[in-house]
Amino acid sequence: MNPTFLKSCLLTALLWTGIGSSPAAPVVSNVRVSQRAGTNLVDVYYNLSGSGQSGASVTVQLSGDSGASYGLPISSLSGHVGSGIANGTNRYLVWNAGTDRPDSFSATMRLRVTASEDREGFALIPAGAFTMGRTSGDTDSDAPPVTVTVSAFYMGKYEVTKALWDEVRIWGATNGYTDLRVGGGKASDHPVDSISWFDVVKWCNARSQKAGLTPVYTVSGAVMKTGTTESAANWSANGYRLPTEAEWEKAARGGVSGKRFPWGTDTISHSQANYYALSGYSYDLSGSVNNYHPSYATGSFPYTSPVGSFAANGYGLHDMAGNVWEWCWDWYGATYTIGATDPRGATSGSARVGRGGGWGNDANYCRAAGRGSYTPAFTDFSVGFRLARSSVP
């Protein structure tokens, strides 16, 4: 037997900063590693402290160049890794190095254990009718006020982070999802960006399968794992998916009707969202006009903020205005309802809907009724997404 052997396997702990106004920041310490003699299994122990009530998200990354970069696939992990990890000493996980790095002997291989606040969780958006579209004297030609009814569903409280994207993408790479884009992200706790609509629906399927749930998106009856063929959606499946445009707007409004913004008022400022303040809008009350958000316009693009940096709306959802545009299921069209109950847009088109505006967009695009459109293959560092589910057991 010739097991994979990591001649110099060094684990480093990254002491993560908190997100938003959280009272504590998860801290990894006292990391210990050993390879079981005569096997490919690597045992990792660490201590975790400072995580909130929902636990921490613990990620393991692999380097083949002494820590200069951490991009090698590593998916054969079990134990205290992933989301919802509670504080404690001797947290424990196992890496099957032989599966991820068969027949590899290296003096430059490194592992890194990191922890961040668990920015997952879903909010129940109740069933009911609401007025979708422009309000407060706005004049959007493609967002006429229309009353629609949406069934109850679940919406992610946060935009999907780069850390979560990476975790699922790495798992997917060894489970048939071979062309998921690496994506961008200013930091692990910032939203993932530069991912296409096609990337997102495949990633949703990968995350569903990773969690033992039923994938939503199929092509000719098979789970969509690769490629750019238009998919069908199984709306009764319990897996992860994109919200429809109507679901997104209902969730964004937070239970308040007739107001421009998710927090239930007709005005916006940099204390409420990460966007580009532009003169000419009477409802933009930011003191720093013609400028990006002063707290996040640092370094190079993108000027995103950590998810959850601003107060939630009435449904407990953060960043429904600004930060990154969020992909929706629907094809873009001037007539966006296609039915008064659970509208899901047109059956075909050339562009998919984006909602919420981004860090580089002005207040007009950050309104709950504001709409954007992009071809499904489009990528940009101002476009990300959040998850929805039809049911959560």
Side-chain angles (χ1 to χ4, degrees):
M1 181 176 182
N2 296 308
T4 297
F5 182 71
L6 310 183
K7 183 177 180 181
S8 179
C9 185
L10 173 67
L11 277 80
T12 59
L14 177 63
L15 308 186
W16 215 252
T17 57
I19 301 174
S21 58
S22 173
V27 174
V28 173
S29 61
N30 194 25
V31 181
R32 289 141 289 154
V33 60
S34 63
Q35 183 167 354
R36 299 183 201 175
T39 77
N40 294 320
L41 301 179
V42 177
D43 296 309
V44 181
Y45 292 87
Y46 65 93
N47 298 344
L48 179 66
S49 61
S51 63
Q53 193 172 33
S54 60
S57 180
V58 174
T59 301
V60 178
Q61 297 171 298
L62 178 62
S63 169
D65 54 10
S66 300
S69 62
Y70 285 87
L72 294 179
I74 178 169
S75 60
S76 301
L77 297 164
S78 60
H80 292 129
V81 64
S83 61
I85 307 302
N87 291 330
T89 58
N90 294 324
R91 303 288 86 182
Y92 170 66
L93 62 92
V94 179
W95 175 38
N96 190 332
T99 298
D100 289 332
R101 306 296 294 172
D103 302 317
S104 181
F105 182 95
S106 175
T108 61
M109 201 165 290
R110 304 287 186 270
L111 290 175
R112 182 168 65 184
V113 179
T114 67
S116 61
E117 281 189 87
D118 195 344
R119 283 319 197 187
E120 297 192 52
F122 287 79
L124 173 64
I125 311 302
F130 78 106
T131 300
M132 181 178 179
R134 63 178 181 255
T135 186
S136 308
D138 297 330
T139 58
D140 313 46
S141 61
D142 65 346
V146 179
T147 299
V148 299
T149 298
V150 173
S151 300
F153 71 102
Y154 292 83
M155 189 75 147
K157 295 180 180 180
Y158 306 94
E159 293 163 331
V160 170
T161 63
K162 183 63 165 70
L164 181 56
W165 177 270
D166 288 346
E167 176 187 328
V168 174
R169 182 184 61 81
I170 291 169
W171 179 90
T174 57
N175 288 275
Y177 295 86
T178 56
D179 62 358
L180 285 176
R181 201 179 306 268
V182 173
K186 193 144 192 175
S188 294
D189 57 349
H190 285 234
V192 66
D193 61 67
S194 303
I195 34 86
S196 73
W197 186 93
F198 290 118
D199 292 321
V200 169
V201 296
K202 290 181 290 187
W203 184 95
C204 286
N205 279 351
R207 191 177 181 207
S208 297
Q209 291 196 305
K210 183 175 185 289
L213 304 174
T214 302
V216 172
Y217 303 110
T218 60
V219 175
S220 299
V223 174
M224 184 179 184
K225 292 187 174 184
T226 60
T228 57
T229 302
E230 296 303 333
S231 62
N234 176 6
W235 298 101
S236 63
N238 65 356
Y240 299 98
R241 61 175 176 84
L242 286 173
T244 67
E245 186 175 13
E247 286 175 335
W248 190 96
E249 187 168 332
K250 187 177 195 299
R253 292 190 177 278
V256 178
S257 62
K259 298 298 181 180
R260 281 193 180 100
F261 296 103
W263 37 88
T265 72
D266 281 333
T267 58
I268 187 174
S269 73
H270 274 155
S271 66
Q272 296 162 310
N274 179 11
Y275 68 102
Y276 188 89
L278 185 66
S279 60
Y281 295 106
S282 60
Y283 49 79
D284 188 346
L285 305 184
S286 176
S288 178
V289 297
N290 300 325
N291 202 1
Y292 298 102
H293 196 294
S295 297
Y296 305 111
T298 59
S300 58
F301 284 168
Y303 292 158
T304 52
S305 44
V307 302
S309 293
F310 299 90
N313 71 359
Y315 288 144
L317 309 178
H318 299 263
D319 302 311
M320 294 300 286
N323 214 16
V324 289
W325 285 92
E326 299 178 9
W327 284 113
C328 293
W329 161 260
D330 307 44
W331 288 109
Y332 177 85
T335 302
Y336 53 42
T337 54
I338 316 298
T341 301
D342 289 328
R344 291 165 183 157
T347 56
S348 62
S350 60
R352 297 283 182 172
V353 171
R355 286 299 202 114
W359 54 269
N361 297 107
D362 61 47
N364 175 61
Y365 291 101
C366 295
R367 295 171 302 121
R371 305 177 73 208
S373 64
Y374 309 97
T375 62
F378 177 80
T379 64
D380 187 81
F381 49 26
S382 66
V383 179
F385 72 111
R386 80 176 61 224
L387 294 167
R389 290 183 68 183
S390 296
S391 62
V392 176

